[in-house]
Amino acid sequence: MAFSDISKEKVPADARSVSDESDSTNEEGWEDVEPEDDSQPVVDLFSEIVYPDVRSMLQVCKDKHNFDLLKIQKELELDFLDSIKLVNYVRSQVKAGNKSPDVSSKAQFEDDAYLKPVLEDDALLYSLDDIAEEQDEDKAPGNDSDRRVVELQEELERLQTQFSEYRIAVQQSLEDQLTQEDEKLQPEAPEKKSTDKTEEVDADYFSSYSYNTIHESMLKDTIRTDAYRDFVYENKHLFKDKVVLDVGCGTGILSMFCAKAGAKKVISVDNSNIIDRAKEIVYDNGLGDVITCIRGKIEEVTLPVEKVDIIISEWMGYGLLFEAMFDSVIYARDRYLASDGLMVPSHATLRVAPFADPDFIASHISFWHNVYGFKMNSMLLNIYEEALVRTVQPTTIPGDSNIFLPLPLHTITVEELNFIKEFKFTLNEDIDALDGFAIWFDIFFMPSRQSPVPEDPIPSEMQKKGIVSFTTGPHGTETHWMQTILLIDHGKEQPKPLKKGQTFTGKVGYQRKQNGYRGLDITVDWNGGENATGNQQWALQ
């Protein structure tokens, strides 16, 4: 925020706006900074109030906010650049809403990012190094004018040197960032490309889970969160005095369910920055003696135990297997789960069904033929190659769904997650065209490794029997996973109407992306008789 951006508000009698001065200040170069005016206006560290000089502002900080800059400089032995970082750190914390930033050690603000000013033309930064000296001089019994002139000249030279160093440090930081971005654009050596790209994709993946929004979405998905809670709380005897591993713990909600259910120890593992928030949440809820949070990939961390009794994880992605997190859960199962241990959830099923929705086709495809009177047909390029994640209405599913892949979580292998499976469904109504296919999954929580799942389980029927489960299909309550929609490209031919009772057979394939990508290629071969046969591939990414 520049001085000219400061909002107008009531300020103390000794504070004033400096919007007029800021215009000229902005035009000055680095080397032109001269301490011509000992009463240079400065913005308060903890508000937007402007004070006529540094001393009065620092005194208010000390009296009102218990923040003694001179004392902190002395106790932490801060040099000039350290002091620069301290000021920018405090301003950034206050800007983020934290009026009591932690300044107990230099480690809190050692990042070079704090060399970049939070406020444009921050007068406090120009005055840092001589504040303490001026205070000492005020306490001296007298001053020699000639000596003072020499000292001021030396001080000016020193300030110019230091600000030159500061400018170079900031410039170097920016150049380093630009260099890193340029390196990403440079072609890499063939032998390194695959590994580096995998690491980059992994970094992006884990980084995406560092933000509040995605966790808010998942926690507010009551179908998902209630199912985990209900299974844990309704089966406390399974968790009593057990050791539980939570893979990809996020905010730690599943870990806390297990701790509340009586688990002896819960080990919560996550490789994103959210683990830091999870630690705080765990301790805020008094569960720090039960739950241990560990940062890292489950494949790379060292757990404090040899085996666990239960593995709990919410690993499901769009189309069930998008993101490939289930690989890590399988690794954890094979490495850490006791021979009689329990997977939570225990089973999943993937379903496919016909999709027919002329309104959806009109809004997603035909829309581009006339956009405010203009043709935008080029926007249709590759539009049929992308798998869509949407919530669709039950009325758009004109037939029964068919399970094409059951997943018993206690035994399935990573190799089995690349597959081609057969399906069969029948239309239960007449339709003008088969517009595509809808894919979704169902999740089941069984209390024992030996508990069988019915051949064609329906979550609503399972719940009547007291079995915790949920569906992500269109006939259930909407979840954040929605459904995966695969639109058929009919080419230049008009699709043909189809009749109720018409049966389709075919194969669905899931193929993992290469080079560490967490997306999927989905293929469907279908045969519904004359005018209803084809094959196509879609990318879920």
Side-chain angles (χ1 to χ4, degrees):
M1 178 187 299
F3 290 152
S4 58
D5 293 331
I6 298 172
S7 61
K8 297 179 180 179
E9 57 178 297
K10 292 183 179 179
V11 298
D14 60 344
R16 61 189 178 88
S17 169
V18 294
S19 58
D20 294 336
E21 286 98 328
S22 67
D23 292 337
S24 60
T25 304
N26 289 339
E27 296 175 356
E28 296 293 337
W30 285 86
E31 281 74 23
D32 294 330
V33 177
E34 298 182 6
E36 297 176 351
D37 184 1
D38 290 337
S39 300
Q40 188 173 13
V42 62
V43 181
D44 184 26
L45 275 171
F46 295 90
S47 71
E48 295 183 348
I49 296 174
V50 181
Y51 291 88
D53 55 63
V54 172
R55 291 188 183 186
S56 58
M57 186 276 287
L58 291 180
Q59 188 62 44
V60 172
C61 290
K62 183 177 178 181
D63 296 341
K64 187 175 180 180
H65 300 283
N66 196 28
F67 181 87
D68 191 334
L69 179 64
L70 299 176
K71 183 179 179 182
I72 294 171
Q73 282 182 314
K74 183 177 181 181
E75 290 180 347
L76 299 183
E77 299 179 347
L78 303 184
D79 60 19
F80 180 73
L81 291 182
D82 289 333
S83 299
I84 291 281
K85 292 179 181 180
L86 170 63
V87 170
N88 289 324
Y89 162 74
V90 172
R91 290 203 187 280
S92 64
Q93 289 288 302
V94 171
K95 186 176 180 181
N98 179 14
K99 293 298 183 69
S100 301
D102 182 1
V103 292
S104 58
S105 73
K106 286 199 288 187
Q108 301 296 331
F109 47 87
E110 63 182 359
D111 195 321
D112 285 346
Y114 292 120
L115 287 173
K116 183 178 180 181
V118 174
L119 289 186
E120 184 179 342
D121 295 331
D122 191 346
L124 178 56
L125 299 180
Y126 303 158
S127 311
L128 283 174
D129 205 59
D130 60 344
I131 294 174
E133 291 183 7
E134 289 181 2
Q135 186 180 51
D136 291 340
E137 288 168 2
D138 287 343
K139 296 179 181 179
N143 292 309
D144 181 83
S145 59
D146 293 336
R147 179 177 58 82
R148 182 58 178 156
V149 170
V150 174
E151 288 177 350
L152 286 175
Q153 290 175 338
E154 292 175 349
E155 180 73 6
L156 176 59
E157 292 176 359
R158 185 169 58 82
L159 281 173
Q160 289 175 332
T161 300
Q162 288 179 335
F163 272 101
S164 178
E165 292 174 352
Y166 176 41
R167 180 190 62 183
I168 293 171
V170 173
Q171 183 65 30
Q172 184 61 50
S173 177
L174 292 173
E175 289 176 356
D176 289 344
Q177 295 178 34
L178 291 173
T179 299
Q180 292 174 6
E181 292 299 320
D182 288 342
E183 288 174 352
K184 292 180 181 179
L185 299 176
Q186 296 297 323
E188 302 176 18
E191 62 274 14
K192 290 185 60 179
K193 186 172 183 179
S194 176
T195 301
D196 292 349
K197 196 64 178 178
T198 299
E199 292 175 354
E200 181 182 337
V201 171
D202 266 355
D204 291 342
Y205 169 70
F206 290 113
S207 176
S208 70
Y209 280 89
S210 299
Y211 303 103
N212 283 15
T213 304
I214 191 168
H215 295 284
E216 179 181 357
S217 173
M218 291 188 292
L219 290 171
K220 287 182 175 179
D221 186 343
T222 57
I223 298 300
R224 159 205 183 264
T225 310
D226 285 0
Y228 280 89
R229 180 203 61 191
D230 292 348
F231 177 77
V232 173
Y233 286 176
E234 291 172 11
N235 294 276
K236 290 184 178 180
H237 63 285
L238 297 176
F239 292 85
K240 179 67 173 174
D241 296 327
K242 294 297 195 302
V243 178
V244 180
L245 171 61
D246 183 355
V247 181
C249 66
T251 58
I253 186 69
L254 306 187
S255 297
M256 292 189 289
F257 287 157
C258 296
K260 285 291 188 180
K264 176 175 64 177
K265 186 177 188 63
V266 181
I267 304 166
S268 308
V269 180
D270 203 296
N271 194 38
S272 78
N273 290 336
I274 197 64
I275 195 71
D276 296 326
R277 305 287 77 77
K279 290 178 182 178
E280 297 175 14
I281 292 168
V282 165
Y283 280 95
D284 285 347
N285 286 276
L287 298 172
D289 57 337
V290 177
I291 301 174
T292 300
C293 295
I294 299 176
R295 168 72 182 266
K297 296 180 180 179
I298 189 64
E299 296 88 347
E300 298 174 358
V301 300
T302 300
L303 300 190
V305 297
E306 283 297 318
K307 294 293 180 181
V308 299
D309 302 301
I310 298 171
I311 291 179
I312 191 169
S313 179
E314 195 276 81
W315 52 268
M316 297 81 77
Y318 299 132
L320 186 62
L321 298 180
F322 177 71
E323 293 182 341
M325 181 182 166
F326 191 37
D327 292 24
S328 297
V329 176
I330 291 177
Y331 173 89
R333 179 199 70 192
D334 295 344
R335 170 66 179 83
Y336 293 108
L337 188 63
S339 58
D340 59 346
L342 182 66
M343 297 291 291
V344 180
S346 59
H347 297 77
T349 57
L350 267 166
R351 291 178 177 269
V352 63
F355 174 74
D357 187 356
D359 292 336
F360 184 86
I361 298 300
S363 65
H364 187 69
I365 304 295
S366 305
F367 164 78
W368 297 108
H369 296 318
N370 186 339
V371 181
Y372 289 92
F374 299 98
K375 292 181 180 180
M376 294 191 178
N377 291 350
S378 63
M379 297 299 295
L380 295 172
L381 181 66
N382 302 327
I383 199 168
Y384 289 102
E385 297 177 9
E386 178 185 1
L388 307 175
V389 178
R390 299 286 191 276
T391 295
V392 300
Q393 296 302 312
T395 53
T396 66
I397 308 298
D400 51 3
S401 64
N402 182 228
I403 295 175
F404 63 90
L405 181 70
L407 291 87
L409 270 58
H410 290 98
T411 58
I412 196 165
T413 65
V414 171
E415 290 72 25
E416 292 177 272
L417 303 182
N418 282 312
F419 59 83
I420 296 177
K421 297 292 183 180
E422 295 182 349
F423 71 86
K424 180 180 180 179
F425 57 69
T426 302
L427 299 181
N428 54 26
E429 61 182 82
D430 295 345
I431 56 176
D432 293 333
L434 179 66
D435 295 319
F437 305 92
I439 289 178
W440 65 86
F441 61 88
D442 304 329
I443 296 294
F444 304 91
F445 300 78
M446 306 301 287
S448 167
R449 293 175 68 101
Q450 289 73 40
S451 301
V453 175
E455 183 142 341
D456 192 4
I458 301 174
S460 59
E461 294 300 319
M462 299 279 281
Q463 289 172 356
K464 292 178 182 178
K465 299 176 182 178
I467 297 173
V468 178
S469 63
F470 66 85
T471 182
T472 63
H475 298 89
T477 303
E478 181 181 350
T479 70
H480 75 280
W481 288 287
M482 298 178 274
Q483 293 86 49
T484 301
I485 305 301
L486 313 174
L487 295 182
I488 294 175
D489 182 3
H490 293 284
K492 296 181 180 179
E493 296 183 6
Q494 288 296 319
K496 301 298 190 295
L498 302 172
K499 294 294 185 179
K500 176 180 178 180
Q502 191 163 344
T503 297
F504 282 77
T505 59
K507 296 179 180 180
V508 178
Y510 270 39
Q511 185 67 38
R512 312 283 284 283
K513 293 283 191 181
Q514 299 298 315
N515 298 329
Y517 284 104
R518 293 179 176 270
L520 292 169
D521 284 331
I522 303 176
T523 58
V524 180
D525 291 313
W526 67 94
N527 188 342
E530 187 178 359
N531 301 322
T533 300
N535 62 80
Q536 196 171 322
Q537 177 175 301
W538 299 263
L540 180 56
Q541 56 191 7

